[in-house]
Amino acid sequence: MTDRPSFFPERLALLPNAEAAEFLTEGLLTGREDVPSIKLNQVTEPLPHADRRGELLPVRDLAEDAMAYCRGRGLKATQADAWLAPRLHAALRITRREAADPGFWNYLALGVAPDYVVWRHLAEPKDGKVAKVATERFRGQYHKQAFARLWWAAELFRDGGDYAPVVTACGNQDIFNTALRMAVVNHRPTAQAIVRLVAKGVITTGREVNALAGAVNASAATLMYEVIAPDAEREARPLLDWIEEAQDARQVSRNELPAGPAEEPAPELSVSTLVDYFCDLFADAPAEAVDQED
């Protein structure tokens, strides 16, 4: 099985898509080979900042602890998502602009924790074919790439500084496969309403999550959720303060949820309004069978 890299520099880096492609070998994707880490670090680019947020070992330790968390409790690899997503987000303390650079996630997947990616995403063999990790888990879109999907789930489903909704969202794989890629979850009351329906047990199965997500997305084409459920005006200062505090922040707790930026949460009235509205939508939505993936 793919092992941890043999070489770690002190800082994270950027690995552009073109350079990342060279390391996506059949041996790596099937978990039979390691990434040549020294060679990989020769083609990286430095981060645009030089503060503590760029330290590599805290991120590497989180990946190792996520695997240990599941192994020690006899959990499935998919259950690492809910544990790791909020802690990865809190440890990195990056902006959405920084998170939009695929080179950052390419490096985390190939330069920091390729063994985690293989452990988490190695598919079950089917029809006699060799088990394999999809290339997009190492270098892919934000809702598919192994680490980008976790960060964006935490970013879109956190309620201000509260990561509890993230744990709920990441505990259901269909949130990743459907809701995470929908533009409407950028509206915070919408994201919180979806999570609340899952937390309350109104939505339980993968088919139900997909049915709700489809209904919510379709309804958004004719109804502006921002009008019936307005969000609070978000200020940049809490996020910037949180990022600056990274210089003196302690290691992210493994036992308790960390605290995110001290932003105002989504308005309760707006969330409850959408919970009621989505319940009605779901009652009329056909829970059609869909293919599910980890």
Side-chain angles (χ1 to χ4, degrees):
M1 186 68 72
T2 298
D3 202 354
R4 59 179 280 158
S6 59
F7 169 74
F8 291 120
E10 292 184 1
R11 296 184 58 77
L12 300 170
L14 304 175
L15 182 65
N17 281 331
E19 282 70 22
E22 176 185 352
F23 300 96
L24 297 174
T25 65
E26 188 73 9
L28 173 63
L29 297 178
T30 54
R32 294 182 287 106
E33 294 179 359
D34 299 335
V35 174
S37 53
I38 294 179
K39 181 179 180 181
L40 180 143
N41 280 282
Q42 291 173 341
V43 296
T44 60
E45 300 173 0
L47 294 177
H49 59 79
D51 54 38
R52 282 190 61 192
R53 295 180 299 143
E55 293 179 356
L56 184 147
L57 286 183
V59 182
R60 173 65 210 182
D61 288 345
L62 272 179
E64 291 190 1
D65 289 346
M67 292 186 283
Y69 172 82
C70 289
R71 288 166 176 161
R73 292 166 175 75
L75 303 177
K76 296 179 180 179
T78 55
Q79 293 174 278
D81 292 348
W83 187 91
L84 183 55
R87 291 171 174 84
L88 180 70
H89 187 277
L92 292 176
R93 300 202 185 201
I94 58 178
T95 65
R96 290 190 179 190
R97 180 184 294 273
E98 291 169 325
D101 188 338
F104 183 76
W105 306 113
N106 293 342
Y107 186 75
L108 260 61
L110 288 163
V112 178
D115 51 329
Y116 172 86
V117 179
V118 172
W119 171 81
R120 170 61 184 84
H121 292 288
L122 188 64
E124 293 293 330
K126 294 181 180 179
D127 303 324
K129 296 181 180 179
V130 177
K132 192 174 182 179
V133 178
T135 302
E136 61 196 1
R137 300 302 187 184
F138 286 98
R139 186 192 67 165
Q141 293 179 295
Y142 76 95
H143 60 275
K144 289 289 188 180
Q145 205 272 353
F147 291 107
R149 67 196 284 271
L150 298 178
W151 189 92
W152 281 103
E155 173 67 9
L156 294 173
F157 289 104
R158 65 182 173 87
D159 194 15
D162 183 9
Y163 284 116
V166 177
V167 176
T168 300
C170 293
N172 188 305
Q173 290 302 305
D174 290 278
I175 294 292
F176 280 122
N177 300 330
T178 54
L180 182 58
R181 72 183 72 182
M182 298 191 311
V184 292
V185 297
N186 282 285
H187 179 238
R188 296 192 307 159
T190 295
Q192 293 306 310
I194 292 173
V195 170
R196 193 166 296 183
L197 289 176
V198 174
K200 287 184 173 183
V202 176
I203 307 298
T204 57
T205 68
R207 291 177 61 194
E208 291 174 345
V209 170
N210 281 283
L212 174 65
V216 168
N217 209 33
S219 178
T222 57
L223 178 66
M224 294 185 64
Y225 296 146
E226 296 88 344
V227 174
I228 66 169
D231 194 0
E233 185 174 346
R234 299 178 67 181
E235 298 180 357
R237 192 69 256 170
L239 175 62
L240 296 177
D241 288 343
W242 185 67
I243 289 174
E244 291 176 3
E245 291 165 4
Q247 291 297 105
D248 302 309
R250 301 178 63 181
Q251 175 181 275
V252 172
S253 174
R254 270 50 172 172
N255 299 316
E256 299 178 356
L257 281 179
E263 296 176 336
E264 185 175 348
E268 177 58 30
L269 178 59
S270 293
V271 176
S272 59
T273 295
L274 289 181
V275 166
D276 292 341
Y277 179 68
F278 292 166
C279 278
D280 292 339
L281 277 183
F282 176 67
D284 297 329
E288 300 176 351
V290 295
D291 293 329
Q292 298 182 46
E293 57 180 330
D294 287 344

